[in-house]
Amino acid sequence: MFKRFLLGALIIVCASASATAVAGWHEVDKVVKAFQHTKHIAGIDDVITEASAGKPQTILLMGSDKRSKNAIDVRRGAIGKPLSDTMMLMRLDPSKRATALLSIPRDLKVEIPGHGTDKLNAAYSIGGARLTVRTIRGLDPRLKINHVINVDFHGFSKAVNSLGCIYVDVDRRYFNNSDAYSKIDIQAGYQRLCGQDALAYVRYRHEDNDLVRATRQQDFLRQVKAQVGAFGLLNHRNKLLHIFSSYTSSDLDSRSGILRLLKLAVFSASRPIQEIHFRTKIGPSYVTTRPTVMHEIVTQFLGVKASTGPKGVLRPKSKSDRRRQRRQDLGLESAPGPFRDQALQAINQKVHVFPVWYPTKRVQGSLTIGPPTVYTIKTHGGKQYSAYRIVIKKNYVGEYYGLQGTTYKDAPLLSNPDGSRKIHGRKFNLFYDGSRLRLVSWKTGNSVYWISNSLLLGLSNKQMLAIAASTKHL
């Protein structure tokens, strides 16, 4: 599955820039040379906008999709030239307190200049990076792209490994053993993901749609940035620069342009990532959005303004299911029995997280998926911690939430909570993503527990708090 994957670009660019900020001018020169040794993307100089010194820059992080010869659509002859697999816009603005990140759906219905209506990813197949940039700029006249970076997936895997792997809060089991899609076998639960597993996780599309997949990628980037600091990168900077120059192509070749970008990247390295939600409707063939909504999305992106509400709303496909949803009270229901059974199963599997907590409330229509995952978290330093995960599925594809318990009390995911709240005498730490609660955690004795929202943040803040407050233990 030879394809270029954009996530490595952000890892390597931010990593190199952060290390450069600490290491001094000699390291700056190394980074400049690494950029200059990347493969140059030809033919796009007239469609990108040169940024002035000290001004904001918008970078298109892009990947091309070359699939395995055994994939179904390859065997049927449906694939010729590679398609752009994933596209993200990153906004570095020195006047803002965050870095904006906007994933653009690959199946977005667009007008490709000179070629009519098609999916956005077809622009790369027709006219490469140049036509892709022209098509994205056509979404809104205010979108000016200053640089394009494209990274081979081998570079992504190597960069993740060089950083010592990344802790990820995996929402459910990811499995595929056929040649139709990339093979993967990752269990649910908080864990370290390394090279190929990390790549398979962020690429996964077997049972997901464009919206869920893009959100998973953004979540992975957020966890990378939270776990990897500038000082931690110093020992890895030479490896990262080699990976960057070997597996990346870009428009950057002039020293002055590279230095302007590096200055912004260094300035932004310590600032949080602000994910901008791309609000769409998912149809049978295309992902669509109204021009007024597109205008709002671009305004938020250029202003690095937090999006509110969930990252996306998945709706039932059939008319009968939609009628049932409208009739349904979209609240919580009491369900202590199924969750108590899950807790008992975890104990029977000899999980060493005591006591074992379980929720007694769930979103209406939710169901537990399989037995709980009982496993061991292995850290960078070789320590091992017991853990279990209860996975709960909502009504729609890609909507999984759940409860995690572990003896790993210092898990990186739980550092720097955004606030806390006492409910019925219990203290809960709160972790937000925009306006929505991403996690609600609590500690007892030698263990820590948390309720994870779905990737699309489909549970409201009240639902998250109520489910956390409903938890009991055996």
Side-chain angles (χ1 to χ4, degrees):
M1 301 226 170
F2 300 102
K3 63 191 284 185
R4 298 179 184 279
F5 201 83
L6 66 91
L7 293 179
L10 186 59
I11 294 173
I12 297 167
V13 170
C14 290
S16 302
S18 301
T20 297
V22 180
W25 179 254
H26 181 62
E27 298 303 321
V28 172
D29 197 53
K30 285 185 180 180
V31 176
V32 171
K33 289 180 178 178
F35 269 104
Q36 291 176 329
H37 281 91
T38 62
K39 183 179 179 180
H40 185 71
I41 302 175
I44 63 171
D45 292 343
D46 63 331
V47 296
I48 58 175
T49 304
E50 184 176 355
S52 301
K55 297 297 182 180
Q57 294 195 34
T58 297
I59 304 165
L60 172 61
L61 304 173
M62 187 172 61
S64 60
D65 182 13
K66 297 180 183 179
R67 305 182 192 176
S68 165
K69 64 181 180 180
N70 294 319
I72 286 176
D73 39 14
V74 173
R75 294 200 303 266
R76 292 175 179 171
I79 290 185
K81 295 181 179 180
L83 304 175
S84 52
D85 178 63
T86 311
M87 286 156 282
M88 286 187 188
L89 292 176
M90 181 169 63
R91 180 75 169 174
L92 302 176
D93 190 337
S95 67
K96 305 298 181 183
R97 295 174 180 256
T99 296
L101 196 66
L102 173 65
S103 292
I104 307 177
R106 51 180 275 156
D107 291 338
L108 183 66
K109 187 177 183 180
V110 296
E111 289 297 318
I112 300 177
H115 298 276
T117 302
D118 208 331
K119 295 179 181 180
L120 176 58
N121 67 343
Y124 189 90
S125 177
I126 297 169
R130 186 177 190 279
L131 188 57
T132 302
V133 172
R134 290 183 63 198
T135 304
I136 292 175
R137 286 176 53 176
L139 297 174
D140 189 290
R142 296 171 295 166
L143 276 178
K144 309 295 183 185
I145 295 175
N146 305 112
H147 296 293
V148 178
I149 298 176
N150 198 353
V151 178
D152 188 282
F153 83 90
H154 288 297
F156 170 82
S157 299
K158 289 178 179 293
V160 170
N161 284 339
S162 71
L163 295 172
C165 309
I166 302 298
Y167 288 99
V168 180
D169 194 34
V170 180
D171 58 332
R172 46 102 167 195
R173 188 187 182 193
Y174 289 83
F175 179 80
N176 175 59
N177 196 37
S178 72
D179 288 325
Y181 296 90
S182 178
K183 293 183 179 181
I184 185 173
D185 188 3
I186 298 174
Q187 295 289 340
Y190 188 68
Q191 60 194 281
R192 285 171 64 217
L193 292 184
C194 299
Q196 289 301 316
D197 281 342
L199 178 65
Y201 172 74
V202 296
R203 294 176 61 205
Y204 187 82
R205 64 176 124 184
H206 178 43
E207 297 172 339
D208 284 338
N209 56 42
D210 237 9
L211 193 59
V212 176
R213 185 165 175 258
T215 303
R216 187 186 310 112
Q217 294 166 2
Q218 288 188 339
D219 181 71
F220 186 88
L221 285 180
R222 179 183 53 77
Q223 299 197 58
V224 169
K225 198 169 191 304
Q227 294 171 41
V228 181
F231 288 93
L233 290 165
L234 283 175
N235 293 331
H236 308 289
R237 63 187 183 277
N238 290 331
K239 285 184 179 180
L240 289 170
L241 290 174
H242 175 72
I243 292 167
F244 182 74
S245 61
S246 300
Y247 295 97
T248 303
S249 56
S250 74
D251 67 286
L252 288 155
D253 54 9
S254 73
R255 186 179 183 86
S256 60
I258 295 170
L259 287 174
R260 283 196 295 270
L261 177 59
L262 285 179
K263 183 178 179 180
L264 277 179
V266 169
F267 183 81
S268 304
S270 61
R271 300 194 169 192
I273 290 177
Q274 183 62 63
E275 300 169 19
I276 309 301
H277 308 169
F278 201 109
R279 302 187 300 281
T280 62
K281 289 185 178 180
I282 299 176
S285 300
Y286 293 101
V287 170
T288 60
T289 191
R290 299 192 306 274
T292 54
V293 175
M294 189 71 235
H295 182 84
E296 294 174 3
I297 293 170
V298 174
T299 298
Q300 289 178 335
F301 174 72
L302 296 177
V304 195
K305 183 179 179 181
S307 298
T308 59
K311 296 187 177 183
V313 179
L314 301 179
R315 304 184 185 280
K317 294 182 178 180
S318 70
K319 291 183 179 180
S320 61
D321 285 344
R322 287 196 293 270
R323 286 194 296 269
R324 190 179 303 115
Q325 184 191 53
R326 285 193 293 268
R327 291 195 302 267
Q328 188 180 38
D329 176 16
L330 297 179
L332 300 177
E333 60 187 10
S334 179
F339 293 123
R340 189 173 187 276
D341 289 343
Q342 291 267 311
L344 289 171
Q345 290 180 61
I347 291 175
N348 290 337
Q349 293 184 58
K350 298 181 180 180
V351 59
H352 297 295
V353 180
F354 298 107
V356 173
W357 287 76
Y358 63 95
T360 61
K361 292 184 178 181
R362 66 186 180 191
V363 175
Q364 288 181 347
S366 298
L367 295 173
T368 55
I369 301 298
T373 303
V374 178
Y375 66 106
T376 299
I377 298 174
K378 298 178 181 179
T379 69
H380 296 287
K383 293 184 178 180
Q384 298 186 8
Y385 298 93
S386 297
Y388 73 97
R389 179 71 162 229
I390 295 174
V391 178
I392 312 164
K393 186 181 187 301
K394 288 182 69 179
N395 292 330
Y396 316 123
V397 173
E399 286 270 50
Y400 297 84
Y401 64 103
L403 183 148
Q404 175 84 34
T406 179
T407 54
Y408 189 15
K409 294 182 66 175
D410 297 323
L413 184 73
L414 303 178
S415 61
N416 302 317
D418 298 307
S420 63
R421 181 176 297 186
K422 277 195 173 183
I423 304 176
H424 305 314
R426 295 169 58 192
K427 180 183 177 181
F428 296 93
N429 284 332
L430 311 179
F431 300 82
Y432 284 89
D433 187 346
S435 65
R436 287 268 175 150
L437 278 170
R438 176 172 48 87
L439 296 175
V440 178
S441 73
W442 67 98
K443 293 183 178 180
T444 62
N446 294 321
S447 304
V448 64
Y449 309 82
W450 63 85
I451 301 295
S452 293
N453 208 332
S454 67
L455 284 170
L456 293 178
L457 304 179
L459 278 66
S460 69
N461 293 351
K462 290 183 178 180
Q463 288 174 330
M464 288 285 290
L465 290 170
I467 292 172
S470 79
T471 52
K472 296 181 178 181
H473 62 83
L474 292 177

